[in-house]
């Protein structure tokens, strides 16, 4: 019998008042103070049942964490600090208020790790699948945003962790690399950055296209996650293939003009366009992203 | 065969560069400059096929306009200027890129009326119904935000236009009262404001509960829309009943300590809680919102 207003009351009771929040929740819009000189970074991401998660398999707490962490990882990609978020939930009729609460707790769990407040939202119920959308507001807080487009020929290409096989579970549980990104960006050597959501090959292509550059990766240098090895045994694709093409690792991929502490150099930026993989014997083969994109038909 | 990236390219080609947008689209987050002293107002709203619109009946252009206008109307409710928006679309598989473009054009049509830019978004496709979510960023721009909670006993209650029967079409086509709201708020007499989305009785209750006050409405003073009269002939509910309880008019409802140009006084704020309707003979009856809320079960 619990209704939307009960849920809203419960959510409000969990909100903390901070200096950034000028007016507590309860109006049509949240009111935030924004520090002079802070750039405002804003992005949005949605997760859909059966596309980004499986409501039969994943708990609402897990789903909430994942969608918030995807947005927090977008903040990492640009080296900004998550400041606030707003959320919409389209609940499947029958899921009930306890399900909605668990979802919210998952969202809040993830956000609080970075002091990010959920300041508003909207909930509705329908007969179809669960949809959760998070809009994130980040602030530059003294560090110039890093974009995709700054890569320069001669830069090294770096990655912050082992890749591949996230489908075995890490795609639900990854930790956004916000602090790592800001630490690396503050060093002044990072020219381009992205978080790996479309796979190493796909996101490297994003960086290359945005910067008008090419890339050569060293086959032997790419850190391969144990999950990629495990998955390889089941599907007969090589661990390297998983590391190159699997999505949703959410490690950082960077182009920089000096070595980066805590990151592994996996290749070099080239002036000539195109992406190549250099094998142990020195030969190069073209690196083609397993073209991951949503078809709109 | 058109894919997500083609749509993104097309959307980017339509974006204008303004002083507020520090970095053009193409990264994980949009980067905005925020004026010192401007409060940042943020809210989000979703529309779902079969709940807020009917994709079999309404065109994608209409649907896009509606969801953007709902958000712009939230800006009106707090007397802020819409500055930027981000959008997510969960497309029904098979709708195709032309459908997505029409949706985007509807969103943009509505936003541009107020110089609001769509600065980012996310598109995905699934087998289920269309979902469109808009997050709006507003700025105070010299006018202190008006909240729901400021009503004072003795204030007049005002509404900016005739009410009722929006389901006949106006719920898809209403014009957000952003300029009217800012003009009224700038006069310094408005204590509380909301846009009427849940119906006059429902939104009046929001203002009364937030302000800890009550209200008496004058039955004869409530402006009734011709649509309410037309609908009344079909469903045998009185035009007044439609004006009191129908949702999605998106007129402004205000509490103010002086008469408001362009708005009609429909009643008074009382110290005693509770909402009443004063009839022509002076008798009062309790005014009970046709409790519109989403059930979460």
């Amino acid at each position: 019998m619990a209704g939307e207003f009960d849920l809203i009351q419960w959510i409000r009771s969990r909100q903390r008042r901070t200096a950034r929040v000028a007016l507590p929740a309860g109006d049509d819009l949240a009111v935030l103070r924004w520090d002079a000189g802070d750039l405002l970074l804003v992005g949005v991401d949605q997760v859909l049942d059966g596309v980004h998660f499986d409501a039969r398999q994943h708990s609402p707490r897990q789903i909430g964490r994942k969608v918030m962490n995807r947005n927090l990882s977008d903040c990492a990609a640009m080296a900004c600090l998550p400041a606030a978020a707003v959320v919409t939930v389209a609940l499947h009729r029958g899921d009930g208020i306890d399900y909605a609460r668990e979802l919210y707790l998952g969202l809040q769990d993830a956000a609080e790790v970075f002091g990010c407040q959920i300041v508003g939202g909207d909930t509705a119920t329908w007969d179809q699948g669960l949809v959760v959308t998070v809009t994130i507001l980040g602030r530059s807080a003294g560090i110039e945003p890093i974009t995709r487009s700054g890569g320069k020929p001669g830069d090294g290409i770096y990655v912050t962790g082992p890749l591949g096989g996230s489908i075995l579970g890490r795609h639900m549980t990854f930790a956004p690399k916000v602090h790592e990104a800001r630490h690396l960006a503050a060093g002044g050597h990072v020219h381009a950055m992205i978080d790996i959501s479309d796979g190493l090959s796909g996101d490297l292509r994003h960086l290359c296209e945005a910067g008008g550059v090419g890339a050569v990766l060293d086959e032997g240098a790419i850190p391969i996650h144990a999950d990629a090895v495990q998955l390889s045994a089941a599907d007969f694709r090589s661990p390297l293939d998983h590391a190159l093409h699997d999505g949703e690792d959410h490690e950082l991929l960077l182009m920089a003009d000096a070595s980066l502490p805590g990151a592994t150099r996996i290749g070099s930026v080239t002036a000539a366009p195109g992406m190549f993989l250099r094998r142990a014997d020195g030969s190069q083969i073209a690196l083609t992203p397993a073209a991951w994109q949503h078809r709109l038909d």
Side-chain angles (χ1 to χ4, degrees), chain A:
Chain A
M1 282 310 161
E4 184 185 14
F5 297 147
D6 302 278
L7 180 65
I8 291 170
Q9 279 302 111
W10 178 82
I11 289 173
R12 282 184 196 160
S13 73
R14 296 189 54 85
Q15 289 178 336
R16 288 172 297 104
R17 188 81 181 267
T18 66
R20 189 166 305 287
V21 182
L23 285 178
D27 283 279
D28 288 281
L29 304 172
V31 184
L32 307 180
R33 294 190 187 88
W34 207 254
D35 297 345
D38 248 0
L39 291 168
L40 167 61
L41 291 91
V42 57
V44 61
D45 199 34
Q46 63 188 338
V47 294
L48 310 172
D49 188 16
V51 179
H52 303 96
F53 63 88
D54 180 348
R56 295 164 305 181
Q57 180 189 348
H58 301 120
S59 74
R61 186 85 69 121
Q62 286 177 312
I63 295 164
R65 274 201 208 104
K66 175 171 180 170
V67 59
M68 182 60 73
N69 277 331
R70 281 166 64 104
N71 279 270
L72 295 166
S73 191
D74 284 336
C75 287
M78 298 193 74
C80 69
L81 273 184
V86 294
V87 176
T88 60
V89 179
L91 281 174
H92 179 68
R93 198 179 313 281
D95 280 343
I97 196 165
D98 288 337
Y99 190 93
R101 282 182 178 153
E102 281 295 308
L103 199 54
Y104 179 81
L105 289 174
L107 290 158
Q108 199 178 44
D109 284 352
E112 283 197 338
V113 170
F114 299 100
C116 177
Q117 278 223 78
I118 301 173
V119 297
D122 180 50
T123 304
T125 301
W126 70 338
D127 295 323
Q128 305 196 46
L130 178 65
V131 181
V132 188
T133 305
V134 171
T135 300
I136 197 102
L137 304 181
R139 57 196 189 94
S140 52
I143 295 177
E144 197 66 17
I146 307 287
T147 68
R148 299 180 177 185
S149 62
K152 306 253 179 305
D155 282 350
I157 300 172
Y158 297 85
V159 69
T160 51
L163 304 175
S166 77
I167 192 69
L168 292 184
R170 283 180 296 123
H171 74 109
M172 297 299 294
T173 61
F174 64 91
K177 304 246 161 174
V178 173
H179 298 309
E180 295 85 341
R182 285 179 64 81
H183 179 70
L184 292 171
H189 295 288
V190 177
H191 295 162
M193 185 160 61
I194 197 169
D195 68 312
I196 299 178
S197 53
D198 296 348
L200 172 58
S201 58
D203 285 307
L204 181 62
R205 181 159 71 175
H206 292 320
L207 292 188
C208 287
E209 286 182 354
V213 294
V216 178
L217 297 187
D218 292 307
E219 184 184 85
I222 296 165
I224 295 173
H225 198 281
D227 289 342
V229 178
Q230 186 184 333
L231 202 54
S232 174
D235 68 5
F236 307 107
R237 284 172 53 204
S238 73
L240 177 67
D241 195 56
H242 282 290
L244 285 169
H245 303 300
D246 288 358
E248 301 198 271
D249 278 304
H250 294 286
E251 294 293 340
L252 300 171
L253 177 66
L254 309 100
M255 294 174 169
D257 65 8
S259 68
L260 297 175
T264 304
R265 181 168 178 153
I266 60 171
S268 301
V269 178
T270 61
M275 306 198 317
F276 299 91
L277 192 64
R278 184 159 45 208
R279 320 195 78 155
D281 64 6
S283 64
Q284 292 189 6
I285 56 168
L287 174 62
T288 307
W292 182 95
Q293 66 168 308
H294 292 295
R295 277 178 55 151
L296 303 180
D297 54 7

